[in-house]
């Protein structure tokens, strides 16, 4: 197991970090390639942030030194898809040169960085935080790979500082606080759906942390994303939704799409190659895919106004850079679509192992908006687009079997590279009520057994923790690798069923991490300026790039009692009690009186006459 774990870590290049010099303030670690893109910030330059209470004496002694700056950047990337759909990706990055984890230092003044998140980092000693809310499933075979992947529902994984003593206690409090900040159901995250991976989800920021005791990962595949989650997310932006690219974030348009995902990523990063200065990076991303059918257009013609019901009029005044990128790689001569207005600015970037060309619209320049002082990009397709190239790595998963006692989980991993084999790290978190038979685990490639080089399995405990399975598998070139495992369904207590038990129970997506061979040489020099969408994952070597793939969540039926029978029993019992006990109670509490029968009319008239005459009454 030890050698396998070493192979897994080396294969993904996560431990090749160099420690910082001792005289550098901040966490001890090194620069992560792909992390120090913050050194190449746009033309505006850093803006001085207010001085915190802990820094005031030091700065006063230094003769009024400048406080650590904070700065923000925003980008929108539009990628026309071969299917006629369009992929829009928003990225907002805020950097602050401060240290929330420094003991004895209290950060009290905030300018661009949200105070609510800064207090969370400080209180719970969080080193990295990644949270996403996704509605819909990303169709890799139709849309290609996204810039930042995310599974359906809610996903949260956190690295805590190595000084935390009670990680589980901090995790429990943290999810409840985040549930309030984002108006989500994260409070349903508990020990039954939280795992502690041993090889997956390495830190994306600086830090040489390899002790996975300080890592927690959880998903809520049934979480529904709606406007109440988008509103607090927009409030974290420096300009809110009042200026810049955020004015396009109109909820009724964003949620009227086939895919929507919003995320928040917080991590410490290096600002230069030598990592002589560090900063906290807050990156907010929002990805949405519009298709011609749900939008009701019926034709392949897109514009900012049709997609978002708004146009761009200005950049965020607090942003150092504000740009819109349109992918024109497949349209070098304009034979596929027309893009207007035309911009002379072109930029190339290596994204997901491929060199792409983008038309760039700089919102910080007045000439971008033209005489109308408004930017409305229009894309008109000319003809039918060809088939998209198949991604080198994708996966799918399904449940097989019949009946409600046993079943089998199948995970298919596709390597579409014609001649290169590469390893992948598979992580599966299965709820405790699906009791896995780990001795039935099989891995086959091209009808042959494919023995994993590393396996980590943690069995579940009923109502306490889920199953955790991690494997490092070598994928042969141009092959399909199938991972199967059998399970038995457990019978829950009647109080553990959901209000709609016949709908089924969700099982979170499998996570596949890999270094995929690159078509072109990847850029490992993070000192060069790069767009935000191409600089999220660290790049260790030129020949490969990191990819994380999520499969579909599973919907499994469990043995469900007939909840209508208790209802019938309750109705019948209540009826018997109401009739029997009601009649008995009525007899015990009613008062009976004897009443004489009333006299006839003739007899009453006779008595009146006899009374007048003084004769005794009848």
């Amino acid at each position: 197991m030890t050698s396998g774990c070493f192979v897994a870590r080396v294969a993904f290049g996560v431990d090749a970090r160099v420690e910082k010099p001792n005289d550098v303030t901040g966490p001890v670690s090194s620069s992560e390639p792909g992390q120090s893109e913050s050194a190449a910030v746009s033309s505006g330059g850093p803006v001085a942030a207010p001085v915190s209470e802990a820094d005031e004496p030091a700065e006063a002694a230094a003769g009024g030194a400048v406080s650590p700056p904070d700065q923000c950047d925003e980008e929108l990337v539009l990628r026309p898809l071969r299917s006629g759909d369009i992929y829009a990706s928003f990225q907002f990055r805020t950097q602050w040169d401060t240290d929330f984890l420094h003991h004895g230092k209290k950060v009290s003044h905030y300018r661009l960085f949200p105070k609510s998140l800064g207090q969370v980092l400080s209180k719970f000693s969080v080193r990295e935080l990644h949270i996403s809310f996704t509605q819909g499933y990303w169709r890799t075979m139709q849309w290609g790979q996204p810039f930042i992947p995310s599974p359906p529902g809610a996903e949260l994984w956190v690295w805590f500082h190595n000084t935390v003593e009670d990680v589980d206690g901090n995790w429990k409090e943290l999810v409840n606080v985040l549930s309030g900040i984002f108006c989500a159901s994260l409070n349903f995250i508990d020990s039954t759906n939280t795992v502690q991976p041993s090889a997956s989800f390495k830190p994306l920021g600086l830090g040489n942390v390899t002790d996975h005791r300080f890592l927690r990962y959880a998903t809520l595949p049934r979480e529904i994303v709606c406007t109440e989650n988008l509103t607090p997310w927009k409030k974290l932006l420096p300009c809110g939704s009042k200026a810049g690219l955020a004015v396009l974030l109109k909820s009724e348009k964003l949620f009227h799409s086939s895919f929507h995902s919003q995320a928040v990523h917080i991590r410490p990063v290096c600002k230069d190659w030598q990592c002589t200065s560090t900063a906290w990076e807050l990156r907010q991303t929002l990805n949405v895919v519009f298709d011609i059918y749900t939008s009701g257009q019926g034709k392949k013609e897109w514009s900012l106004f049709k997609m978002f019901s708004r146009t761009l009029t200005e950049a965020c005044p607090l942003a150092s850079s504000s740009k819109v990128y349109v992918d024109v790689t497949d349209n070098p001569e304009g034979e596929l679509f027309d893009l207007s207005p035309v911009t002379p600015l072109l930029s190339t970037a290596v994204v997901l192992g491929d060199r792409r060309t983008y038309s760039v619209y700089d919102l910080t320049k007045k000439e971008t908006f033209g005489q109308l002082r408004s930017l409305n990009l229009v894309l008109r397709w000319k003809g039918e687009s060809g088939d998209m190239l198949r991604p080198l790595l994708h996966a799918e998963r399904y449940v097989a079997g019949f009946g409600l006692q046993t079943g089998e989980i199948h995970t298919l991993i596709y390597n579409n590279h014609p001649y290169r084999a590469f390893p992948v790290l598979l992580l599966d978190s299965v709820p405790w009520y699906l009791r896995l038979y780990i001795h039935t685990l099989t891995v086959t490639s091209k009808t042959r057994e494919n023995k994993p080089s590393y396996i980590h399995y943690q069995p579940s405990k009923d109502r306490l923790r889920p199953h955790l399975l991690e494997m490092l598998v070598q994928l042969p070139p141009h092959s399909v690798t199938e991972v199967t495992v059998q399970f038995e369904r457990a019978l829950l207590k009647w109080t553990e069923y959901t209000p709609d038990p016949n709908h089924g129970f969700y099982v979170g997506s499998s996570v596949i991490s890999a270094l995929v061979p690159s078509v072109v040489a990847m850029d490992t020099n993070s000192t060069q300026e790069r767009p935000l969408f191409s600089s999220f994952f660290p790049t260790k070597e030129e020949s490969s790039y990191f990819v994380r793939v999520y499969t579909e969540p599973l919907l499994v039926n469990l043995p469900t009692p007939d909840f209508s029978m208790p209802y019938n029993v309750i109705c019948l019992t209540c009826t018997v009690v109401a009739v029997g006990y009601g009649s008995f109670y009525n007899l015990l509490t009613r008062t009976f009186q004897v009443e004489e029968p009333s006299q006839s009319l003739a007899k009453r008239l006779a008595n009146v006459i006899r009374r007048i005459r003084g004769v005794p009454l009848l």
Side-chain angles (χ1 to χ4, degrees):
M1 287 297 182
T2 305
S3 61
C5 186
F6 175 78
V7 170
R9 290 171 179 171
V10 172
F12 295 100
V14 293
D15 290 332
R17 298 182 176 89
V18 183
E19 294 188 354
K20 290 170 43 182
N22 296 329
D23 57 346
V24 178
T25 305
V28 177
S29 87
S30 79
S31 84
E32 282 273 6
Q35 305 288 325
S36 57
E37 70 278 5
S38 56
V41 188
S42 55
S43 56
V47 182
V51 183
S52 66
E53 294 176 356
D55 291 334
E56 288 177 357
E59 291 184 359
V66 179
S67 61
D70 54 351
Q71 57 192 15
C72 65
D73 308 279
E74 57 180 8
E75 287 183 1
L76 168 61
V77 185
L78 299 176
R79 182 204 293 175
L81 303 176
R82 292 283 187 172
S83 59
D85 308 333
I86 192 163
Y87 171 38
S89 177
F90 294 84
Q91 296 216 21
F92 305 88
R93 182 182 64 180
T94 304
Q95 285 189 338
W96 193 10
D97 299 355
T98 188
D99 188 4
F100 294 106
L101 305 179
H102 186 71
H103 297 287
K105 179 179 180 180
K106 181 180 179 181
V107 180
S108 301
H109 299 280
Y110 293 82
R111 196 176 78 95
L112 300 181
F113 202 95
K115 185 176 182 180
S116 59
L117 296 182
Q119 291 175 337
V120 168
L121 298 178
S122 178
K123 176 177 176 58
F124 299 106
S125 299
V126 174
R127 179 174 292 276
E128 278 196 28
L129 186 148
H130 304 269
I131 182 173
S132 65
F133 301 95
T134 304
Q135 187 71 28
Y137 177 70
W138 182 269
R139 302 182 180 94
T140 306
M141 294 302 296
Q142 299 180 18
W143 301 336
Q145 295 288 354
F147 296 123
I148 301 179
S150 58
E155 180 192 45
L156 174 64
W157 58 285
V158 177
W159 276 94
F160 292 95
H161 198 266
N162 53 13
T163 58
V164 176
E165 297 180 356
D166 185 10
V167 178
D168 291 329
N170 278 28
W171 169 256
K172 184 177 180 180
E173 294 183 21
L174 175 63
V175 296
N176 283 277
V177 172
L178 294 177
S179 178
I181 292 178
F182 294 101
C183 295
S185 303
L186 299 179
N187 54 299
F188 286 99
I189 294 179
D190 53 16
S191 62
T192 61
N193 48 26
T194 300
V195 295
Q196 181 181 316
S198 64
S200 302
F201 294 99
K202 294 294 184 180
L204 297 181
L206 64 90
N208 52 3
V209 180
T210 56
D211 193 346
H212 284 258
R213 294 179 302 169
F214 303 101
L215 170 63
R216 293 295 182 271
Y217 174 79
T219 58
L220 293 175
R222 199 176 182 179
E223 180 70 11
I224 304 299
V225 186
C226 57
T227 306
E228 63 183 7
N229 307 120
L230 179 63
T231 301
W233 185 90
K234 291 191 293 186
K235 291 182 179 180
L236 300 177
L237 298 174
C239 292
S241 58
K242 305 299 182 182
L245 298 176
V247 300
L248 301 178
L249 304 179
K250 198 174 181 181
S251 58
E252 56 265 30
K253 285 293 185 178
L254 294 179
F255 292 107
H256 192 66
S257 59
S258 56
F259 178 83
H260 171 271
S261 177
Q262 61 189 56
V264 172
H265 305 276
I266 306 176
R267 59 183 178 178
V269 297
C270 294
K271 299 203 68 176
D272 52 27
W273 183 253
Q274 292 78 17
C275 202
T276 57
S277 61
T278 61
W280 280 91
E281 179 189 80
L282 165 64
R283 186 173 296 208
Q284 297 178 243
T285 63
L286 190 146
N287 299 319
V288 60
V289 175
F290 297 97
D291 64 89
I292 57 178
Y293 300 106
T294 59
S295 61
Q297 296 187 45
K299 58 181 180 179
K300 297 181 179 181
E301 180 178 334
W302 297 99
S303 67
L304 289 181
F305 187 79
K306 287 184 178 180
M307 288 187 291
F308 305 104
S309 295
R310 292 175 183 173
T311 58
L312 295 172
T313 57
E314 62 176 344
C316 174
L318 300 176
S320 301
S321 67
S322 179
K323 296 180 180 180
V324 178
Y325 293 85
V326 180
D327 193 341
V328 294
T329 307
D330 301 327
N331 190 49
E333 302 295 334
E335 64 275 7
L336 290 180
F337 57 83
D338 288 330
L339 179 64
S340 62
V342 180
T343 175
L345 298 178
L346 294 177
S347 175
T348 59
V350 179
V351 183
L352 298 173
D354 189 15
R355 190 174 301 278
R356 312 294 294 181
T357 304
Y358 298 90
S359 295
V360 184
Y361 299 85
D362 193 348
L363 302 185
T364 59
K365 299 179 180 180
K366 294 183 179 180
E367 55 268 19
T368 303
F369 301 98
Q371 298 179 353
L372 299 178
R373 297 182 180 180
S374 176
L375 178 61
N376 182 29
L377 297 178
V378 179
L379 187 148
R380 296 182 178 90
W381 288 88
K382 291 183 177 180
E384 294 295 331
S385 56
D387 296 333
M388 187 191 68
L389 295 178
R390 300 181 64 183
L392 295 181
L393 175 66
H394 71 99
E396 57 187 27
R397 188 167 64 150
Y398 62 91
V399 176
F402 59 90
L404 293 177
Q405 182 178 1
T406 60
E408 196 172 44
I409 298 178
H410 292 251
T411 304
L412 304 179
I413 308 175
Y414 295 83
N415 176 12
N416 295 321
H417 201 286
Y419 55 88
R420 289 285 299 273
F422 55 87
V424 298
L425 185 62
L426 172 66
L427 180 144
D428 252 334
S429 177
V430 182
W432 62 268
Y433 45 76
L434 298 182
R435 293 166 178 166
L436 297 183
Y437 294 147
I438 199 64
H439 69 280
T440 64
L441 177 66
T442 59
V443 182
T444 57
S445 299
K446 296 182 177 180
T447 67
R448 296 181 181 179
E449 182 182 1
N450 188 346
K451 187 176 181 180
S453 58
Y454 167 73
I455 296 180
H456 170 73
Y457 174 68
Q458 182 183 43
S460 68
K461 292 184 179 180
D462 286 359
R463 299 172 180 85
L464 289 180
R465 72 183 185 192
H467 302 268
L468 174 62
L469 176 63
E470 290 182 282
M471 295 187 299
L472 184 65
V473 182
Q474 185 79 8
L475 302 184
H478 197 65
S479 65
V480 180
T481 300
E482 184 176 12
V483 180
T484 62
V485 61
Q486 297 179 8
F487 65 89
E488 181 183 11
R489 296 171 171 89
L491 183 62
L492 305 180
K493 298 179 180 179
W494 72 274
T495 56
E496 295 174 338
Y497 286 93
T498 58
D500 53 345
N502 292 304
H503 176 74
F505 291 78
Y506 284 89
V507 180
S509 305
S510 296
V511 186
I512 300 171
S513 306
L515 288 176
V516 179
S518 177
V519 178
V520 297
M522 298 296 295
D523 185 11
T524 60
N525 185 3
S526 59
T527 59
Q528 296 181 359
E529 182 179 359
R530 290 190 294 172
L532 298 181
F533 59 86
S534 65
S535 60
F536 182 73
F537 289 112
T539 303
K540 290 291 184 181
E541 52 188 23
E542 296 181 351
S543 60
S544 60
Y545 61 97
F546 180 79
V547 170
R548 181 172 291 147
V549 178
Y550 294 91
T551 65
E552 307 92 334
L554 299 179
L555 186 61
V556 182
N557 289 323
L558 295 183
T560 304
D562 184 6
F563 286 105
S564 64
M565 193 62 193
Y567 172 76
N568 297 334
V569 172
I570 291 173
C571 292
L572 180 60
T573 304
C574 291
T575 302
V576 172
V577 169
V579 174
Y581 179 75
S583 302
F584 183 70
Y585 181 80
N586 191 20
L587 292 174
L588 293 178
T589 57
R590 176 177 295 180
T591 303
F592 295 93
Q593 296 180 355
V594 179
E595 296 183 357
E596 296 182 358
S598 59
Q599 300 177 350
S600 61
L601 180 60
K603 193 173 183 179
R604 287 200 299 268
L605 291 176
N607 287 333
V608 171
I609 297 174
R610 293 174 72 87
R611 189 180 294 111
I612 295 174
R613 295 174 58 187
V615 179
L617 302 178
L618 296 176

